[in-house]
Amino acid sequence: MPTMQNTNRWETKELVTMALMCAISVILSFIEFPLIPGISWLKYDPSCVPAMITGFAYGPGAGVVVGIVSVLIHTLIMGDWVGGLMNVFIVLAMVLPSAVAYTRNRTFKSALAGLGVSVVVCIVVAIVSNLLIDPFYLGVPFEAVTALVVPALLPFNIVKSVLNSALTLVVYKSISNLITPKKNRVKGR
């Protein structure tokens, strides 16, 4: 009789941790504040950080799942589908490059390099998303959105993505032994 093999991608502990990270992310999505004086509609929230931490711990797929699920929950609560769509783009831009780099080589240098790429990708994706979506969503001319790129969108997204990256580094280093204890186990024990 052939033996049954577990083909699940994630272990139960990883799934529980991912669910906890989703819950933390949703809570953090409601803690928002403006970063640029005078531009109160561009608000920062640290909700992407749990997804980035999950990406470092369990790989890019897990990080993306946590990020997208938390965005969907926030979107269902708030009803802002366009903002939710843009947040999905931001989650992908922040989580994928950093998690892929760190998964390939689990060193501080790889984490920094991946986060650096994530910052650049996030800035580009955020600005392009605003240029493509805002004219339709806000009903403003394309030129009005392009006029906001340098004074508002660029500085906001630089600060936002750098802040998310810094928080990810600090928090992941602090909790990595708790959420990924396998690396500390000796084989055969």
Side-chain angles (χ1 to χ4, degrees):
M1 176 178 240
T3 59
M4 298 287 280
Q5 184 175 349
N6 185 355
T7 58
N8 292 337
R9 182 179 171 125
W10 296 299
E11 296 176 9
T12 302
K13 182 180 181 202
E14 292 170 341
L15 289 170
V16 170
T17 302
M18 289 167 64
L20 178 62
M21 290 299 202
C22 282
I24 292 169
S25 181
V26 170
I27 291 167
L28 290 174
S29 71
F30 291 100
I31 302 171
E32 54 185 27
F33 52 90
L35 290 176
I36 301 173
I39 305 176
S40 60
W41 52 273
L42 286 176
K43 294 181 182 174
Y44 171 76
D45 69 74
S47 64
C48 196
V49 173
M52 294 170 69
I53 291 169
T54 305
F56 274 19
Y58 305 132
V64 167
V65 167
V66 167
I68 291 176
V69 167
S70 61
V71 166
L72 288 175
I73 292 169
H74 182 84
T75 301
L76 285 170
I77 293 169
M78 299 305 292
D80 180 11
W81 294 99
V82 175
L85 176 63
M86 291 175 77
N87 281 333
V88 166
F89 295 149
I90 297 303
V91 164
L92 293 172
M94 286 301 296
V95 172
L96 285 176
S98 59
V100 167
Y102 189 69
T103 300
R104 288 185 179 164
N105 189 12
R106 293 185 173 273
T107 64
F108 184 73
K109 186 176 178 181
S110 290
L112 282 178
L115 289 168
V117 172
S118 287
V119 166
V120 172
V121 172
C122 181
I123 292 166
V124 170
V125 166
I127 290 173
V128 169
S129 296
N130 276 282
L131 291 172
L132 295 176
I133 295 172
D134 285 353
F136 300 106
Y137 174 62
L138 298 175
V140 296
F142 179 78
E143 294 76 23
V145 180
T146 58
L148 292 173
V149 170
V150 173
L153 298 176
L154 184 62
F156 172 78
N157 285 294
I158 289 171
V159 173
K160 174 184 175 176
S161 55
V162 168
L163 197 53
N164 280 338
S165 296
L167 287 170
T168 298
L169 275 179
V170 170
V171 175
Y172 181 71
K173 181 66 177 163
S174 302
I175 68 169
S176 64
N177 289 334
L178 295 172
I179 62 174
T180 56
K182 281 185 182 180
K183 65 183 177 184
N184 295 328
R185 290 187 202 151
V186 177
K187 296 242 186 227
R189 288 190 180 178

